[in-house]
């Protein structure tokens, strides 16, 4: 884990993002996926909204995923184990990148077939406290034919953008600075499962 944490801190500092394959082992990934499936079957997921506070609303033309927020005071043992891994990332980013990260919030995210999330930034005027975005994919298998990639946009000096598409392979972790990298989830041809969360500079 120490080597992985080193890589995360170095690449976040140098490139503003990092992709780590096999961040969790298969047993842990499958257990989290099973837990997510059971929560879904109990009807715990809700359509994801956009906006904050009184401006919060479901806008399926912008995003069509479903989410279940994790309650930090009522985590399952599996969720608590994942939370601890994120805590290690928080500590190393604070030590080496001086980001002032104080807390984490996260949710299970399910993209049914055909769903998507249009291009956006995770940090904006309504949520200025999100500093680092962290996504762990839980899917059993994925191929390019399944589509549903995370598309990230990197501005270039000539005003154009470099595009990088990241497939949601099970066990893959994606970490990036929330205010710097616009991104979207392309329409998926297969159900797509992840844990998405944010390290924040508030408690």
């Amino acid at each position: 884990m120490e080597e992985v944490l080193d890589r995360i801190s170095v690449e976040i500092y140098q490139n503003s993002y990092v992709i780590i394959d096999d961040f969790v082992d298969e047993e842990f990934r499958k257990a989290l996926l099973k837990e997510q499936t059971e929560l879904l079957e109990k009807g715990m997921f809700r359509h994801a909204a956009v906006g904050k506070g009184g401006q919060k609303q479901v806008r399926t033309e912008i995003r069509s995923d479903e989410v279940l927020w994790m309650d930090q005071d009522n985590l399952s043992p599996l969720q608590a184990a994942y939370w601890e891994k994120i805590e290690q990332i928080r500590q190393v980013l604070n030590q080496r990148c001086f980001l002032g990260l104080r807390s984490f919030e996260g949710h299970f995210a399910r993209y049914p077939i055909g769903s998507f999330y249009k291009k956006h930034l995770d940090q904006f005027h309504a949520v200025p406290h999100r500093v680092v975005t962290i996504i762990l994919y839980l899917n059993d298998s994925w191929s390019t034919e399944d589509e549903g990639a995370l598309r990230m946009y990197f501005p270039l000096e000539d005003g154009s953008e470099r595009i990088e598409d990241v497939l949601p392979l099970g066990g893959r972790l994606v970490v990036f600075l929330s205010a710097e990298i616009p991104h979207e989830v392309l329409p998926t041809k297969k159900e797509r499962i992840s844990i998405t969360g944010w390290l924040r500079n508030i408690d």
Side-chain angles (χ1 to χ4, degrees):
M1 185 68 171
E2 199 61 41
E3 188 177 319
V4 170
L5 292 172
D6 284 344
R7 187 177 155 204
I8 290 172
S9 62
V10 167
E11 294 196 28
I12 286 292
Y13 185 80
Q14 293 178 346
N15 306 321
S16 301
Y17 82 109
V18 60
I19 299 166
I20 305 284
D21 286 336
D22 304 315
F23 177 72
V24 296
D25 62 38
E26 274 293 279
E27 183 181 0
F28 189 67
R29 181 196 65 78
K30 287 179 178 177
L32 275 173
L33 180 61
K34 181 173 182 286
E35 181 167 288
Q36 182 273 344
T37 302
E38 291 168 352
L39 292 167
L40 180 67
E41 289 171 350
K42 290 178 182 175
M44 304 287 284
F45 280 64
R46 296 290 178 265
H47 284 293
V50 296
K52 205 72 174 162
Q55 303 296 314
K56 198 171 184 180
Q57 54 184 316
V58 174
R59 298 276 303 277
T60 54
E61 74 277 16
I62 297 175
R63 64 183 300 187
S64 48
D65 55 321
E66 301 169 356
V67 301
L68 172 61
W69 285 91
M70 297 180 185
D71 178 357
Q72 186 174 0
D73 298 321
N74 191 30
L75 297 172
S76 72
L78 277 170
Q79 292 168 21
Y82 180 63
W83 223 261
E84 179 54 36
K85 293 177 186 296
I86 300 302
E87 174 62 15
Q88 291 179 279
I89 294 174
R90 185 189 73 83
Q91 290 180 7
V92 77
L93 288 179
N94 278 348
Q95 290 164 2
R96 301 180 188 177
C97 303
F98 310 106
L99 293 177
L101 305 170
R102 295 168 64 174
S103 66
F104 178 68
E105 63 177 0
H107 59 61
F108 285 109
R110 171 183 178 261
Y111 284 80
I113 293 171
S115 59
F116 56 86
Y117 192 167
K118 297 283 192 182
K119 185 178 177 182
H120 64 284
L121 273 174
D122 283 350
Q123 185 192 107
F124 55 98
H125 66 278
V127 282
H129 45 265
R130 289 178 177 174
V131 180
V132 177
T133 300
I134 301 180
I135 307 166
L136 175 68
Y137 296 111
L138 302 178
N139 309 294
D140 275 329
S141 62
W142 209 269
S143 70
T144 52
E145 289 75 28
D146 298 322
E147 300 185 9
L150 172 72
R151 174 166 287 180
M152 297 190 289
Y153 296 85
F154 300 91
L156 301 175
E157 289 182 4
D158 65 1
S160 64
E161 291 177 311
R162 177 176 72 83
I163 291 172
E164 183 167 343
D165 287 350
V166 182
L167 289 180
L169 303 178
R172 171 173 281 176
L173 190 80
V174 181
V175 184
F176 59 88
L177 294 182
S178 304
E180 292 190 13
I181 300 179
H183 57 283
E184 65 178 311
V185 176
L186 300 177
T188 182
K189 291 186 174 177
K190 190 163 86 171
E191 184 177 75
R192 180 185 188 279
I193 305 296
S194 66
I195 297 176
T196 299
W198 297 271
L199 287 166
R200 310 178 302 171
N201 58 10
I202 59 170
D203 291 320

